[in-house]
Amino acid sequence: MLRRTFIALTASAATLALAGAAYAQEVIKIGASAPKSGPLAGGAAMTHWPNIKLWMQEVNDAGGLKVGDKQMKLELVEYDDKTNGEEAIKNIQRLATVDEVDFIVAPYSTGLNIATAPAIARYGYPHIATTAATDGVKDFAGRWPNSFWMLGTSTQLAEGIVSTLAKMKDKGDIGNKVALVNVADAFGLELVAAAKPALDAAGFEIVYETSYPLGTQDLAPVISQAKAAAPDAFVAFSYPGDTFALTEQAQVQNLDVGVFYTGVGTAFPPFAGRFGAAANGIMGIGGINSEDPTVKAYIDKHKSVLNADPDYWASATTYAGLQILGQAIEKAGSLDRAAVVEAIKTNTFDTVIGPVAMPENVNPNVWTVGQWDGGVFKAVAAEGLDVAIEPAKKGGWQ
């Protein structure tokens, strides 16, 4: 009797274990590590986390992803990397080895994507970087064949603003004197390195140049010194906190320039909310073609589901990267990471930013410069994509 009971209990346990395993297979575990604190938390809160929520809700509301003959819903495991590379690497290792997630969403920002790329590659996850702009993309794609880079290179983005300045100089809207500022991290250093030779080749004179550490609070001296140099254009490769601070000081000190350009954060809706009518004419990195019907539909969906506008640059690209991941899983027909990586390499994907193909692991088609116009940040320069409007000289700060 005891033996029969033991066998029955063992069989029941095995049945429960199999049932548990079968249940677990109905869910795709998605891991995410990005700032929720530290200097880049505001940017991640605007661009990164909302689009993960939006994509997962859309997929799950539709019944999940079709993986072979199964319809599998998504489950999120998320961590705060505290805007710290070491913390981000630890989070990736934990997601891979403790949480055993099926796939990982790329981190937020250039620096954190580069810091975590070796760990993501070591565990074989597809790495679709949607908020990293670097000239190292071809090298990185070769070093980490699982990585894909969607936001453009530093040279593309830097040359975008330089070509815009040159167009305006040729029209007589501005002169040739430029104040050039950058945040001293991977993002800012690469962009300023690409911009300087491009400015020189286009006949511009850099009358003021400086850099500042990430997280700098007081940027009034930067604006006062730039103003003293009497530039025709002010260009700052900045992150969100400093983008707002630089613009505030330019308004307070009435920096009189025909072009005022700042970096990440310029495209955020709160930027226009903070500066109101004074935001009109301000240029910044990125942008989107806000006149495109697919982009409009994405913006409307973001507003409807999240009750907030997306940022008018990397939000759409972040969402597109998640769409690519989902479509690649379905094309691969399995959760095998190598098969999904191969699917990303060899297919064209329908996304909110249009068709995307990355046969060499790099998306070549990007918006490079946007400008606030009537409450919308509209693309004025791009490579391989349509723009929304032509660039215009900025008016006053009132």
Side-chain angles (χ1 to χ4, degrees):
M1 175 67 78
L2 287 173
R3 184 171 180 274
R4 285 197 299 271
T5 302
F6 175 75
I7 292 171
L9 287 171
T10 302
S12 297
T15 300
L16 287 171
L18 288 171
Y23 172 77
Q25 290 172 7
E26 301 305 316
V27 174
I28 301 174
K29 291 176 72 175
I30 304 291
S33 169
K36 293 188 176 186
S37 59
L40 296 182
M46 175 60 62
T47 303
H48 187 83
W49 295 112
N51 281 290
I52 294 175
K53 179 180 179 181
L54 180 62
W55 174 68
M56 291 189 66
Q57 181 170 327
E58 182 180 46
V59 169
N60 286 339
D61 285 351
L65 295 175
K66 191 174 190 307
V67 184
D69 59 356
K70 293 182 179 180
Q71 202 75 16
M72 303 180 72
K73 292 199 171 185
L74 307 179
E75 176 184 286
L76 181 65
V77 182
E78 58 189 288
Y79 294 114
D80 176 13
D81 65 26
K82 304 176 184 177
T83 316
N84 180 281
E86 290 184 6
E87 190 73 20
I89 293 167
K90 289 177 185 177
N91 288 348
I92 296 299
Q93 292 172 335
R94 180 175 178 181
L95 287 166
T97 62
V98 178
D99 301 303
E100 298 184 332
V101 298
D102 296 297
F103 297 98
I104 289 176
V105 178
Y108 176 80
S109 83
T110 301
L112 293 172
N113 270 282
I114 294 171
T116 57
I120 296 173
R122 182 161 59 253
Y123 296 110
Y125 290 103
H127 178 181
I128 307 174
T130 58
T131 56
T134 170
D135 278 341
V137 291
K138 290 185 178 180
D139 175 57
F140 295 158
R143 193 184 311 172
W144 307 303
N146 63 303
S147 69
F148 302 87
W149 306 82
M150 290 187 60
L151 201 59
T153 67
S154 300
T155 294
Q156 281 179 306
L157 295 166
E159 290 183 348
I161 181 57
V162 173
S163 66
T164 301
L165 294 175
K167 181 185 291 188
M168 297 181 71
K169 178 165 67 75
D170 291 344
K171 287 169 55 181
D173 287 342
I174 61 171
N176 74 330
K177 296 181 179 180
V178 177
L180 188 61
V181 173
N182 69 280
V183 60
D185 84 331
F187 166 82
L189 292 170
E190 281 200 20
L191 278 158
V192 79
K196 289 174 71 174
L199 286 166
D200 182 63
F204 287 97
E205 177 188 0
I206 299 173
V207 294
Y208 172 70
E209 182 182 355
T210 194
S211 65
Y212 55 86
L214 178 64
T216 298
Q217 300 294 314
D218 182 12
L219 291 166
V222 170
I223 296 298
S224 63
Q225 291 166 30
K227 183 176 180 179
D232 301 298
F234 177 88
V235 174
F237 299 118
S238 52
Y239 268 142
D242 21 308
T243 291
F244 277 71
L246 287 165
T247 306
E248 182 177 83
Q249 283 301 317
Q251 184 177 26
V252 168
Q253 299 185 42
N254 193 28
L255 177 63
D256 184 16
V257 288
V259 171
F260 184 83
Y261 167 102
T262 44
V264 182
T266 315
F268 292 0
F271 184 91
R274 165 65 182 81
F275 297 105
N280 274 328
I282 290 179
M283 292 185 187
I285 198 166
I288 52 176
N289 182 8
S290 53
E291 304 304 307
D292 180 86
T294 305
V295 174
K296 282 185 174 180
Y298 161 73
I299 293 171
D300 290 343
K301 178 168 60 178
H302 196 287
K303 289 180 181 178
S304 174
V305 175
L306 302 175
N307 197 31
D309 289 308
D311 100 60
Y312 289 99
W313 177 36
S315 272
T317 303
T318 297
Y319 193 80
L322 293 164
Q323 289 181 304
I324 289 169
L325 175 61
Q327 291 173 36
I329 292 169
E330 291 189 324
K331 289 177 186 294
S334 81
L335 301 184
D336 180 77
R337 296 166 197 162
V340 174
V341 168
E342 186 62 23
I344 299 172
K345 287 178 181 286
T346 55
N347 286 278
T348 299
F349 300 91
D350 295 322
T351 78
V352 295
I353 60 172
V356 175
M358 294 183 286
E360 297 181 347
N361 294 37
V362 178
N363 170 32
N365 303 318
V366 294
W367 289 292
T368 57
V369 183
Q371 184 169 35
W372 281 102
D373 177 58
V376 179
F377 193 69
K378 302 177 180 180
V380 298
E383 283 196 23
L385 296 169
D386 293 331
V387 299
I389 58 172
E390 287 296 307
K393 183 177 179 179
K394 175 166 172 50
W397 288 99
Q398 303 306 317

